[in-house]
Structure formats: structure tokens, C-alpha cells
Amino acid sequence: MQEAKDAPISRSIMAKMSSDAGIVTNIRNVDDMIRVVANMHLCMGMRLHLLTYSAINSVPVIGIVCDPKIKGFMELIGQKRYSDLKFMSFNELMGHIDECMQNYENIKLELSEVCEVYKQKADLNGKIAIDIYEKGSADI
């Protein structure tokens, strides 16, 4: 999400891994990133946009809280699998991963349902904005 900051950390993590890994490059725009995230089975991250892209694609998500907005977003979408960066442990993260895998289909359904509600609210906000612009007021 922020290549200059994220790539060195990603390379450091990859060097410690026993399995093959790679860094996605050539992301030209938001649509490219959304397509990449939509093809994931699980997402763990600390960038709000990454978590958002995961949720709207019903990809089970684990938040790493480095800023209060991450915790707030996770709670907004009804997902309790997040860890504070300062205090998280390997076992805690593995517990979140295990929970996601054990409840995979239910989590995907939860995300789909909650995101549909927020999409409807966003559509309503757009309608209200248009009404205010065109008529000077809106019926709510």
C-alpha cells in the first residue's frame, strides 16, 4: 500500500520464511490493488485501505492496530480479529488465523452482509447530496 515503507519490511519478513513468497509489483492504480486483494483467501494488515478492500471483497481480514482508526474500522465491520501492534504475539496472530480458517465461510458471509448495508448507506448519502445540490434540501 505504501511501497517505499512496506517493501523493505516485506523483504525482511520474506527472508525469514521457509516457504516461497513474493511482493506484488506494478500496481498502477486502486483498481489493480482491489483486484489483487479480491483474489486473496485471507488478509492481515495495518493499512486502512487494504482492510477496506478486503472487507468489500468478503476476504476474511485480521487487523494490526497501529492507529485507532484500524480498531474502529474492524469494530465497525463487526470483526474482532485484530491485535495491537505494540502488544501482539505470534500466538495471538495464529489464533486469529486459525479462527478465520475454521469459520471461513461464515466470516465471508458476515463481511458480505455488513458491506451491503454500508453500500446502501453510501448510496443514500449520494442521493441526499444530489437532492441538496439540486433542490436545496433533502427528504430523509
Side-chain angles (χ1 to χ4, degrees), residues 42-58:
L42 174 70
C43 180
M44 182 184 313
M46 58 195 291
R47 303 278 186 229
L48 183 59
H49 284 91
L50 177 66
L51 301 177
T52 304
Y53 300 158
S54 297
I56 64 174
N57 284 289
S58 301

Side-chain angles (χ1 to χ4, degrees), residues 64-66:
I64 299 175
V65 179
C66 60

Side-chain angles (χ1 to χ4, degrees), residues 57-72:
N57 284 289
S58 301
V59 173
V61 60
I62 299 167
I64 299 175
V65 179
C66 60
D67 185 291
K69 66 184 174 189
I70 302 302
K71 180 180 178 184

Side-chain angles (χ1 to χ4, degrees), residues 67-96:
D67 185 291
K69 66 184 174 189
I70 302 302
K71 180 180 178 184
F73 176 75
M74 294 298 291
E75 291 180 352
L76 180 73
I77 62 170
Q79 302 299 300
K80 303 298 183 200
R81 288 167 299 280
Y82 56 84
S83 298
D84 189 305
L85 179 63
K86 294 179 185 175
F87 306 108
M88 71 182 185
S89 68
F90 173 80
N91 289 337
E92 181 181 24
L93 291 177
M94 286 306 300
H96 291 324

Side-chain angles (χ1 to χ4, degrees), residues 9-47:
I9 294 167
S10 296
R11 282 192 289 278
S12 174
I13 292 168
M14 287 172 47
K16 296 174 182 173
M17 295 174 65
S18 59
S19 59
D20 290 336
I23 297 174
V24 177
T25 58
N26 298 325
I27 302 291
R28 295 176 303 272
N29 55 47
V30 171
D31 290 335
D32 287 349
M33 180 57 76
I34 290 172
R35 276 192 290 278
V36 168
V37 172
N39 285 291
M40 294 181 178
H41 296 285
L42 174 70
C43 180
M44 182 184 313
M46 58 195 291
R47 303 278 186 229

Side-chain angles (χ1 to χ4, degrees), residues 122-140:
D123 289 345
L124 179 59
N125 282 344
K127 181 187 176 316
I128 291 169
I130 290 169
D131 285 351
I132 290 171
Y133 177 77
E134 291 178 347
K135 299 186 248 175
S137 65
D139 298 321
I140 298 178

